[in-house]
Structure formats: C-alpha cells, structure tokens
Amino acid sequence: MQARQKDSLLVASVKDSLGGAIITFALACVMIGLRVDVASGRGAELFLEHRWLAVAAAVVIVFAGRFAMNVFFWKREDPPSLNLSGFLPKGGLSTGTSSVLKYALLGLAVVLPFALMFWLGARGSRQYIDLAILVLTYVMLGWGLNIVVGLAGLLDLGYVAFYAVGAYSYALLAHYFGFSFWICLPLAGILAAFWGIILGFPVLRLRGDYLAIVTLAFGEIIRVVLLNWYQFTGGPDGLSGIPRPSFFGLEFTRGEGGFASFFGLDYSSIHRIIFLYYLIFAMALFTNFVTMRLRRMPIGRAWEALREDEIACRALGINTTTTKLTAFALGAMFAGFAGSFFATRQGFISPESFTFLESAIILAIVVLGGLGSQIGVVIAAIVMIGGFEFFREFEEYRMLVFGMIMVVIMVWKPRGLISSRTPSVALSKNAKGISADLVQEGHG
Amino acid sequence: MDYFLQQLINGVTLGSIYGLIAIGYTMVYGIIGMINFAHGDIFMVGSFIALVLIVALGITAATPVLLLILALALVLVVAMALTAVWGWTVERVAYRPLRGSFRLAPLITAIGASIALQNFVQVSQGAKNKPLQPLFSGSFQLTDGGADGSGFIVNLSYIQILIVVTTVILMGGFTYIINNTNLGRSQRACEQDRKMASLLGVNVDRTISLTFVMGASLASVAGLMFLLYYGVIDFYIGFLAGVKAFTAAVLGGIGSLPGAMLGGLLIGLIETFWSGYFSVEYKDVAAFSILAIVLIFMPEGLLGQPEVEKV
Amino acid sequence: MSSWDNNPVLKVEHLTMRFGGLTAINDLSFNIGRGDITALIGPNGAGKTTVFNCITGFYKPTEGRLIMARSGGEKHLLERMADFKITADAKVARTFQNIRLFGGMTILENLMVAQHNPLMVASNWTIGGLLGLGGYKKSNVEAIETAKYWLERIDLIDRADKPAADLSYGDQRRLEIARAMCTGPELLCLDEPAAGLNPKESLELNTLLQYIRKEHDTSVVLIEHDMSVVMEISDHVVVLDYGVKISDGTPDFVKNDPHVIAAYLGVEDDEVGQVEEEVGI
C-alpha cells in the first residue's frame, strides 16, 4: 500500500513535470533556440544563430524544478512548507514592528551620507549617495501617487506626466526667465497641480481601469508633444545646462563665495551630492507630513471613503468631483516638486526620462508596498530601485528580472508588503490596524 | 481623390491588423473584466516567432509563388500555435493565481509580464531593428496617374489584399466559434456570470485559458501581417500597437467582437488619414486623443451595451 | 385634508420616471408630513426604490416636481439638484437596500465621513486645518462627540474602532442609519431598513426610529415589506403598484383598502369582496 502510494506520487510528478517541460520547449524552441540578427558586414541581411543548448538547459531546469517541487511540496500530504510557514511572519508586519521600522529607517536616512563618507570616503561613497538620492526620489513619487491610488483609489497610469511637467517647468523657467531653483520649485508644483486639474476634470468620473487607460493616454500625449515641439522643448535632444540649486544663495562652486569657502571647507564635489540628498530627503518628508496630516482631516477621510464606496459618499453630501480633483491635483503637485528636483539634479532632461515605464515603476512601488501604506512605499522603493541598481552589471537582464519580480511579489502578496490600515481617528488609545482584506481598492 | 483612395486602402490594411489584436483585448475583458496589458507584447512575440520561422525556412522573394504561399501558411499555423502557448503561459503564471483577488493585482502583474516579455525578447533576439526584405513586391495599379502622368498613382499591393482577406476569413471563423460551438457558449456564459457558469458545470479555468489562447493566436496573425506589411520589427512594437488596439476595442464597444473589428478599422483609417493630411509626428497623439474622447463621452463604445449605475 | 397635507416636508408632484420604453413611475403625487414616519409600500417592482432614487438625486425624473420644505422655510426643488447637494443643502439623507458602509474604515470613521461638509467649512477647506488655524480642532472634537452620541444610541460605542465590515447585518443596518443621521437631515429615507433582521433586531430598529422622530427634527420615509413594522410605527402609508399610487392614508385606512388587498393578493378589484370573505377579513 505504502509502496503504491509512493509510486503513484512519482508517476504523477513525472507526468506533471513532463507537461511543464513540453510547454517550456514550445516557449523556448523558437524564441531562445533561434536568434535572428542583422549581419553587420552584409547590409541588412538577416542571419540565424542556433542555441539549442540553451533550450535544452531551460527544459531540463523546468523539468527538474517541477519534479522536485512536486515530490517535496505540491503532491505530498504533509508538505514541509506547512512547517516552514510557522517561521514566516503572518499577515505582514504588525503596527508595532512597522513603527519601530519607521524610526529605524528615518534614523538611517538622516545619518546615511555621513556614515557612508566615514566608511568609504568622499570618492567611494559618491555612487551610493547617488543611489540613495534616486531611491528617495522614488519614495517621494510613490508617496505622491499614494494619495491618488492608495487613498482616493483612483488608478493613475500617467503619473509620470506630472513629473515631466515639473521637470520641464523648472528647465524652461530657468532657461527663458533665469529663475532660480527655489523660485521654480513652488511654481513647478503649482503648474503640475494645474495640469492635474485640467486633465483630471474630464476623466475622473470614469471607472477604475478606464481611468487607468485614459491617464496612460494623457501621459503619452504629453510625452509625444515634448518630443515633437522642437522650438520650445528641444525635442528628443532635451534641455541641458539646467542651473544647479544653491544653498541659501551659496553656489556649490570652487573658490570665493562658494559653499566650501564660506564654511571654511576644502572644495569637494561631494558637498553638492550631500546637499541634494538632504534636499530630496526634506522634500520627501514634507510630502509624507502633508499626506499624514491630510489623512486625519475631512478631505483625507473623504478620499478613503471614496475608495470604499463612491455612491455612499454622494449620499452623504460629499462632492465627489472636487474630492477626486484635490487628490489628483495634490498627487500631481508632489510629482511636480520631484520633477524639478530631478531636473536640477541631472542638469539635463529629455522626454526619454518620462516614458510609460516610469509610471509603471512608480505604480508598482505603491501597489507592492501596500496601497495606502507610507512605510510600504519606502520598503518597496528600496527593494525595487535599490535592488535594480545593484544588478547594474547584468544590464541586459535587469529589466527582465524586474518584470518577473513584479509578477512574483504580486502573486505572493496581492495586497502588498504592508497590508494593514491604521484608522485615521480612534476613541481608544490602542486601536488596531485594519486588515487589508476588508479595505476596498477603489471603485469600478 | 486618388490620394484619398490610397489612404483608404492603407487605412483598411492597418485597421485589419489593429482589429485582430483588438479581438484579444475585447475577449479577455469580456470574460474576466481586466485589461490584459501584456497582449500587445504577445503580438510582438508572435511577430518575432514569424520572423524567425521565415528566416529559418529560408523564405525570400525569390521563392516560387506557390511554394511561397504554402510556406507562409505553414509559418502562420506554427506561429499561431507557439504564440498561443505564450498567451496561455502568461495567463497561467500571472493572472490565474490572482483570480478573485484584489482588482489592482492582476493589472500590476500584467504590467510586469509586459515588461518581462519585452525584455526577454530584447535579450534573446537583440535590441536592433529587424528588417525583412519584402516577400511580395507586386501590386495592382488602380489609377494610372492621368495621361500626362501628373496625377497620383494608387497602388493596391498583393500584401494588402493578403492581409485583408486573411483577416476577413479569420474573423468569420472566430465569429462562428463564438456563436455556434460549445466553447463559444461556455465563453459567453462565463462572461455573463462566472460563478453560475461554474455551478452549471462549465470549466471556467479552461474556458478562460482558451480565451487567452485564441486571443494570442489572433495576435500572432496580426504579428505576421505587421511584419510582412512594414518589413521591420523590434521588441518595442507591442506597446504602441497594444494601446491602439485597445483603443479600437474600446471604440467598438469592449466585449463585442464585431465592435473590435469595426473599432480596428476606424483607428486604422483615422491614423492613416491623420498622417496623410496632417502630421506624421502627431499620429499617436491622434490615437491617444480618440481613446480619451471615446472613454469620456461614450464609454460604452459604438456597439457595446451601456452600463446602468445600480444604486 | 390629512395632517401630512397641511405641513408637508416633501411634496411629490406628478413624478414620472421612464427608462427607455419602460415607465417605472407614472404621474405619482403624494406628500410626506413633517415629523411623520411615512411608509412607502407595494409589491416587488412597484417602483419604490426608483422614487427614492429620484428624491435623493441618483436619478433625474423624466417629469414632475419634488419640493423639499425645510423647517427654516427655505424650499428646494430636488429634481434640479445634484445628488450630493440634496444631502448637503436640502438635508435629505438616505440608506441603501444593499447596505453601503465604508467597510474598511472603522465605525467611528464612518460617522466622521458623514460630517464631512461642516468639518470642511471648519477647516477652511483643508487649508486652515492643515496649518492648525481656526476652530478646526474644536469642530473635530464636536464631530467626535456627535458620533459618540449616535454610537451610544445604536449601542456600538464599545466597538467604535472596529472596521464596519466586521459588524453583524443588523448592526450594519443601524450603523447606516446613524451615519445618515450624522449629516443632520430633516428628511431621512430608509430603503428596507428591516430587511433580513431577526425579530429582536427589528424591535431595536423600531425603537431607534421612534427615538429619531421624537428627539430630532427629522421626518422619516421608509420602504418596507414587513407589514408588522409598517403598521406599528408609521403614521402614513403610501401604496404603489406598477408605478402608480393605489392608496394613501393612515395604516388602518390602507389595511382595509380593497385596492391594496387586490394588489397584494393579485386579483382584480371586483373580485376583492369574494376573496375577503374567503380569507375572513
């Protein structure tokens, strides 16, 4: 009896693995086994390259992998994963751990540049501080989009358009009027919010995924216009020579009147990098501060109520159009701030930086982090952007892995990494978080 | 007038391609109510499979006509089958585990799958444009450009005829499948009420898989047509074609097969006329604007059913 | 002339609602008396919920007028107002047949959302509140007090910080009524408040509605199938069938109206006498 059981387990596993292997072969035989490329010497002629070993490897890996999974996990009556799951945290992080995590991350972010300088020196730490700036930019964008998607439940796939508006506003204002960064920063935010209202007004009554597609279309329209309006935006060549920000009027330049000489330091290019780091850090914290405060105010509660049930909101006398528009405009404004930071940091912008992929990455950060969760956005940004940059050596495979990780994390945790919601107002001191299973994801 | 006629012919050809892709969007949206974001990339994969097969079989313009047609038919069938496997896999890996879950989750996995597919093709087939020498170069000359040769010469190329004819045949076949077979019936049942359909013994998972398989194989036909018509493809063609085909599906009324075809034709015509009479640079803006306008002012599309808000 | 015609809070005049070729309500007129509990009854598909949707602005009536007379003397023509304005300005609140709570938010938050408009004003449309100016803090505390008052009324004060989706069906019904009351309505429209309640919960609902009528300046109109609820608490009953009013009066009057009996028993008017004899009324 025991032996037969074992036998049928094996047979079943082999059958299943064979199925997987056949599928893999069908997927791989043409797309991996053969490669069509343009011969460099012979004009535009195409030639074939055979890579059957790679196909064989893929098939064997899938067969062996599925077989092992079948034998040890899926088809067993007592899969070891049952024992294993006891060790994993259940249902995401609890409110207590996540608040500890919050302060730990905040502390780390404050000391990071100096710690890096201490360990690696000015030269060695530069690339890491640059990476930290990038991560913080995405944290800020994620927090901005979290207002729109996480709180108000409006699916926005064209968020990068407002990032672009912010960046181009600063670049153009500086180019044509010679305004400084500090004047342009609020202007860029206001312009982006203005565009948010203009684009949002007609589309915000659409339901969930239609809204997503229209926002995607608007994002692309703005990009195509930037690409083709040569006289104004420089077209695909972009705009360069965007002025750098100053520290209360002190430029980060060598010599008299610069930042270094004012404070009696030796000039080093790292000063500006560290300044940029703290600048984006402050901007991100500002975004977070405003969002957290708004959540506890009537408008924030109305956003969340809107995500839960729009019809009920209307029955309670809430003007859903203006409520949605404020969320959209506010999200756009923060993207505009981040955009002008991006422009000043790079010193050069072109439409290439504002493709749909950027929107997708920001949205992925928000959703993977856990909709509406501020700390989730931080973790997701560190994992996605940080991890992404660490695989820089595997340039070719980076985006492939990125896409696959998006799928894997979503399948593993559809509600995101942090999936509990803190009430915005409570009677008792120790009110618990609300499990995300109860929280709606927006109308539609 | 002659210029207009030429644009009309080009527009109908392009529209057929969009229509074939749009059917995949519309069927999937109808059955599981999600935008299959990776569908444009499935089209791109189909196009690449066709290209590899054409090169592997050594098909060139020099191949005798009869053999050429037979070989292309073979390429079509194999590409449809292999692309269908890709479509099936995407559904199995990225969508099925999330069925009945949070509604945003499959949208994110779809975007992830789209990124993964694009970059997979970029890695496996290289990032360069892949130009294919035209296989059919002949055409019918519909007007002779006038006696003095000053008029416009209107061409109806063989390849355009091939594209339109193939599309019409496939459309007929698929309409027949949806309306008259068991599979079509269970598909329509799942569209109406998935839970009830499963209670009545319809294998919902299998029906959804088959929907993806059909959508993907039609997309691969579009991929082959696109390759033959434009003669050049790269790993990024899926995004724009996908958005335009989705626009077509929405314009025609999402969930409606004839609507998808009609929408495809309209989008193809609008795009060609826009490029022909206004500006080529902004032809994508035209398509995107139509998408926005249609969704805002007539979200039920031309042939779709209006949705009534239930209170 | 009955009491509801002397001082109506809402006058429905010649209300007609057509969907394509279907006439859901046809030339319907009735009054809702101030301070009354009015019941709207009728067989399934009679158009009761459609009347509610017209009153609360979710549908725009094809024809007719809906005149809301507030206690201060202002009049509002509801058929011309946007749905959210009807709650915000005309002070008409409603509940839904299939309960629509904000399930992922706490019970307290549900009641806070209902006080959105006064709180928005108090926070100077967010700007003042964001900067910590003005009386927002005070208004916020007051709003929490109002919420607590209603939570005590519906006996959910101990669970104020729990998600609304966790509540039992009967509690959800009462919470939805409390939430509607937090908008400070003068007319409260309840769509089948007793549906799916057990007898005990039904009794609690009666008590709550009586309380609302007695202690607040709020008139109630409700759709109900449960005749024991209707007969016990309502002052005035309007009966619809196929979108037409077939009877209008006190519960006793309606109960004995042959038209009503005919509609409910599904017989022609002239056979009613015969049926009555058979069932012994």
Side-chain angles (χ1 to χ4, degrees):
Chain A
M1 193 64 199
Q2 198 64 22
R4 251 186 70 190
Q5 193 96 43
K6 190 78 187 163
D7 206 354
S8 69
L9 168 74
L10 267 183
V11 170
S13 303
V14 168
K15 272 188 188 160
D16 180 90
S17 316
L18 262 181
I22 290 170
I23 296 284
T24 313
F25 179 75
L27 293 178
C29 62
V30 168
M31 290 307 282
I32 294 180
L34 298 164
R35 175 185 170 128
V36 171
D37 220 335
V38 188
S40 41
R42 288 174 285 175
E45 206 174 306
L46 295 167
F47 71 98
L48 265 189
E49 192 186 316
H50 296 264
R51 292 179 302 194
W52 297 104
L53 211 61
V55 177
V59 170
V60 168
I61 288 169
V62 167
F63 181 83
R66 273 198 90 85
F67 185 74
M69 290 304 274
N70 268 312
V71 171
F72 295 116
F73 293 93
W74 298 335
K75 290 209 161 61
R76 264 169 83 132
E77 279 164 21
D78 57 336
S81 57
L82 282 183
N83 309 325
L84 223 139
S85 63
F87 296 103
L88 293 170
K90 283 215 176 77
L93 294 162
S94 70
T95 323
T97 10
S98 91
S99 94
V100 170
L101 189 65
K102 191 160 67 190
Y103 290 109
L105 282 171
L106 190 66
L108 180 69
V110 171
V111 299
L112 185 74
F114 293 101
L116 282 172
M117 290 269 281
F118 180 76
W119 292 111
L120 300 165
R123 195 177 294 270
S125 61
R126 182 177 171 146
Q127 79 175 98
Y128 295 104
I129 299 178
D130 264 332
L131 176 58
I133 292 175
L134 191 66
V135 169
L136 280 173
T137 312
Y138 278 95
V139 168
M140 179 168 176
L141 287 168
W143 277 342
L145 185 61
N146 212 0
I147 298 175
V148 185
V149 183
L151 295 183
L154 303 165
L155 191 45
D156 184 354
L157 279 182
Y159 192 60
V160 77
F162 306 120
Y163 188 43
V165 168
Y168 272 88
S169 302
Y170 172 43
L172 292 169
L173 285 171
H175 184 255
Y176 288 106
F177 301 103
F179 288 174
S180 82
F181 175 73
W182 294 105
I183 296 172
C184 291
L185 183 67
L187 286 179
I190 290 167
L191 278 171
F194 175 71
W195 275 98
I197 290 171
I198 289 192
L199 297 187
F201 194 74
V203 303
L204 283 175
R205 60 202 168 94
L206 294 174
R207 62 206 175 85
D209 27 16
Y210 277 12
L211 178 67
I213 290 292
V214 173
T215 49
L216 182 152
F218 278 151
E220 285 299 301
I221 289 175
I222 287 190
R223 191 178 64 84
V224 175
V225 169
L226 290 177
L227 200 58
N228 288 305
W229 197 356
Y230 292 97
Q231 300 86 342
F232 192 54
T233 65
D237 306 332
L239 294 163
S240 54
I242 300 166
R244 304 297 194 158
S246 61
F247 181 80
F248 296 106
L250 294 175
E251 301 287 340
F252 288 88
T253 46
R254 200 183 284 279
E256 269 317 287
F259 174 84
S261 74
F262 186 84
F263 287 98
L265 302 166
D266 291 330
Y267 173 78
S268 162
S269 63
I270 197 81
H271 292 157
R272 177 163 62 221
I273 309 288
I274 293 178
F275 171 66
L276 285 172
Y277 174 86
Y278 282 111
L279 178 60
I280 185 68
F281 182 52
M283 284 164 66
L285 280 187
F286 174 70
T287 311
N288 183 40
F289 173 76
V290 172
T291 312
M292 292 318 275
R293 223 181 139 94
L294 284 176
R295 246 199 102 214
R296 284 162 209 285
M297 304 221 345
I299 186 74
R301 273 186 224 121
W303 288 338
E304 294 200 78
L306 201 63
R307 176 190 68 202
E308 297 280 327
D309 193 328
E310 186 178 343
I311 288 174
C313 278
R314 275 159 35 195
L316 294 176
I318 296 173
N319 185 341
T320 47
T321 314
T322 51
T323 308
K324 285 179 184 177
L325 269 182
T326 29
F328 215 64
L330 241 114
M333 185 182 80
F334 288 123
F337 290 151
S340 60
F341 173 80
F342 176 78
T344 195
R345 177 191 164 215
Q346 300 280 327
F348 163 78
I349 49 170
S350 75
E352 220 165 274
S353 309
F354 308 104
T355 56
F356 167 67
L357 187 66
E358 285 305 301
S359 288
I361 290 173
I362 303 166
L363 181 69
I365 286 173
V366 173
V367 177
L368 295 175
L371 280 179
S373 162
Q374 298 289 89
I375 191 79
V377 167
V378 178
I379 297 172
I382 293 173
V383 171
M384 303 285 280
I385 306 302
F388 187 60
E389 290 299 313
F390 264 105
F391 287 106
R392 197 169 267 290
E393 294 100 279
F394 308 101
E395 185 72 52
E396 270 203 313
Y397 296 91
R398 224 151 55 121
M399 285 312 289
L400 175 59
V401 173
F402 185 82
M404 292 193 325
I405 283 178
M406 266 170 86
V407 175
V408 169
I409 298 186
M410 230 46 246
V411 170
W412 172 50
K413 272 188 177 296
R415 289 278 175 175
L417 298 169
I418 306 277
S419 54
S420 89
R421 174 182 173 273
T422 324
S424 66
V425 53
L427 289 185
S428 64
K429 283 275 172 281
N430 48 358
K432 281 224 207 84
I434 297 169
S435 152
D437 298 332
L438 301 173
V439 179
Q440 297 297 307
E441 71 266 32
H443 54 91
Chain B
M1 188 62 215
D2 291 349
Y3 185 63
F4 177 86
L5 186 62
Q6 181 69 63
Q7 297 301 335
L8 188 70
I9 293 170
N10 296 350
V12 168
T13 316
L14 187 60
S16 305
I17 295 175
Y18 288 150
L20 283 171
I21 311 173
I23 290 173
Y25 278 110
T26 227
M27 285 201 303
V28 166
Y29 195 95
I31 202 161
I32 53 175
M34 69 164 280
I35 299 169
N36 178 11
F37 223 91
H39 190 61
D41 299 289
I42 291 289
F43 152 78
M44 177 272 295
V45 167
S47 183
F48 265 90
I49 290 178
L51 174 71
V52 172
L53 289 172
I54 286 173
V55 176
L57 290 175
I59 303 171
T60 59
T63 316
V65 175
L66 203 62
L67 200 60
L68 180 65
I69 288 174
L70 273 179
L72 279 181
L74 181 69
V75 168
L76 184 73
V77 170
V78 176
M80 279 172 85
L82 292 182
T83 314
V85 179
W86 278 96
W88 181 87
T89 310
V90 167
E91 194 272 335
R92 185 70 189 78
V93 171
Y95 306 150
R96 194 185 291 181
L98 291 170
R99 202 160 295 153
S101 157
F102 188 46
R103 197 176 44 82
L104 276 185
L107 188 77
I108 298 293
T109 52
I111 293 173
S114 159
I115 294 174
L117 280 177
Q118 266 176 35
N119 289 279
F120 166 74
V121 173
Q122 189 188 1
V123 168
S124 77
Q125 300 292 333
K128 277 186 224 150
N129 284 350
K130 304 282 185 290
L132 179 73
Q133 300 301 327
L135 298 181
F136 301 89
S137 43
S139 66
F140 294 114
Q141 216 160 296
L142 297 186
T143 56
D144 55 5
D148 55 352
S150 65
F152 190 83
I153 301 172
V154 179
N155 276 319
L156 173 62
S157 66
Y158 297 151
I159 185 76
Q160 287 176 320
I161 297 173
L162 180 78
I163 288 172
V164 174
V165 167
T166 315
T167 307
V168 169
I169 293 172
L170 281 170
M171 262 311 288
F174 270 83
T175 313
Y176 178 81
I177 291 178
I178 299 297
N179 288 336
N180 298 315
T181 64
N182 229 337
L183 168 65
R185 261 190 296 281
S186 36
Q187 206 169 22
R188 281 178 289 145
C190 289
E191 251 171 60
Q192 297 289 321
D193 188 336
R194 222 189 301 159
K195 200 174 274 169
M196 196 61 218
S198 88
L199 288 174
L200 293 175
V202 175
N203 186 340
V204 173
D205 275 345
R206 208 185 54 151
T207 310
I208 293 174
S209 282
L210 280 170
T211 308
F212 275 84
V213 162
M214 290 199 291
S217 45
L218 284 183
S220 83
V221 179
L224 175 63
M225 302 301 166
F226 186 92
L227 173 67
L228 294 178
Y229 190 51
Y230 286 103
V232 59
I233 56 172
D234 62 57
F235 68 96
Y236 200 64
I237 56 170
F239 177 71
L240 262 187
V243 173
K244 284 175 190 165
F246 180 77
T247 309
V250 170
L251 180 61
I254 198 129
S256 148
L257 278 191
M261 218 51 234
L262 178 67
L265 274 182
L266 286 175
I267 293 293
L269 287 171
I270 290 166
E271 191 181 320
T272 6
F273 278 105
W274 186 282
S275 331
Y277 288 97
F278 299 103
S279 74
V280 183
E281 289 89 26
Y282 287 103
K283 74 179 159 80
D284 297 340
V285 171
F288 289 128
S289 310
I290 290 163
L291 176 62
I293 290 166
V294 169
L295 280 177
I296 293 165
F297 293 106
M298 40 181 280
E300 74 276 3
L302 294 172
L303 303 180
Q305 285 139 0
E307 246 177 77
V308 183
E309 186 179 48
K310 276 270 183 214
V311 179
Chain C
M1 193 107 178
S2 312
S3 68
W4 44 84
D5 294 327
N6 295 332
N7 183 16
V9 61
L10 179 74
K11 283 170 101 163
V12 176
E13 292 179 350
H14 305 291
L15 181 68
T16 300
M17 182 77 212
R18 289 191 201 96
F19 298 102
L22 177 81
T23 306
I25 307 170
N26 195 2
D27 196 24
L28 174 69
S29 302
F30 65 91
N31 292 332
I32 295 171
R34 193 177 305 281
D36 282 354
I37 294 184
T38 308
L40 198 55
I41 66 170
N44 282 325
K48 304 180 296 284
T49 299
T50 309
V51 174
F52 263 37
N53 284 339
C54 289
I55 294 175
T56 51
F58 283 89
Y59 293 158
K60 288 281 156 258
T62 320
E63 281 164 32
R65 287 211 300 177
L66 298 157
I67 306 157
M68 172 79 192
R70 290 198 40 193
S71 52
E74 325 158 35
K75 287 204 158 59
H76 295 275
L77 293 176
L78 301 187
E79 77 278 5
R80 297 186 187 169
M81 295 169 76
D83 47 15
F84 72 92
K85 288 255 181 206
I86 289 177
T87 310
D89 299 344
K91 293 293 170 196
V92 179
R94 73 171 292 177
T95 65
F96 296 89
Q97 200 171 338
N98 46 339
I99 307 170
R100 284 180 175 274
L101 288 171
F102 307 123
M105 300 173 85
T106 65
I107 292 160
L108 178 63
E109 283 178 307
N110 267 276
L111 300 186
M112 295 297 281
V113 171
Q115 304 177 58
H116 178 79
N117 288 319
L119 282 176
M120 278 303 268
V121 175
S123 67
N124 304 104
W125 286 271
T126 307
I127 296 159
L130 198 61
L131 302 172
L133 298 176
Y136 172 65
K137 266 208 175 107
K138 192 165 144 273
S139 312
N140 198 42
V141 172
E142 281 168 11
I144 295 176
E145 286 307 316
T146 311
K148 272 163 120 173
Y149 166 82
W150 281 107
L151 287 174
E152 270 157 18
R153 292 279 25 116
I154 59 172
D155 222 7
L156 287 175
I157 188 85
D158 299 334
R159 287 191 275 172
D161 298 330
K162 295 271 185 315
D166 276 357
L167 290 178
S168 73
Y169 192 76
D171 287 342
Q172 290 197 4
R173 283 257 178 240
R174 277 180 301 141
L175 176 58
E176 207 189 11
I177 295 172
R179 189 181 66 178
M181 285 308 294
C182 280
T183 63
E186 291 186 16
L187 176 64
L188 177 65
C189 306
L190 305 174
D191 198 343
E192 300 201 22
L197 299 191
N198 64 31
K200 181 175 161 282
E201 290 170 330
S202 211
L203 203 67
E204 285 170 352
L205 177 77
N206 283 2
T207 324
L208 178 65
L209 293 185
Q210 302 280 16
Y211 178 84
I212 287 173
R213 196 244 305 254
K214 209 159 67 201
E215 300 292 323
H216 292 265
D217 184 19
T218 303
S219 320
V220 179
V221 52
L222 52 92
I223 293 175
E224 194 46 73
H225 282 296
D226 187 338
M227 284 304 142
S228 63
V229 175
V230 172
M231 294 304 156
E232 199 178 317
I233 67 168
S234 49
D235 307 297
H236 173 198
V237 180
V238 177
V239 190
L240 296 188
D241 193 17
Y242 294 110
V244 188
K245 184 169 83 174
I246 57 170
S247 187
D248 184 348
T250 61
D252 279 330
F253 171 78
V254 166
K255 195 153 62 178
N256 298 314
D257 188 337
H259 294 98
V260 179
I261 298 168
Y264 271 86
L265 296 180
V267 291
E268 299 300 323
D269 282 3
D270 46 6
E271 296 169 31
V272 168
Q274 193 191 336
V275 176
E276 274 180 334
E277 267 169 42
E278 281 170 23
V279 296
I281 9 176

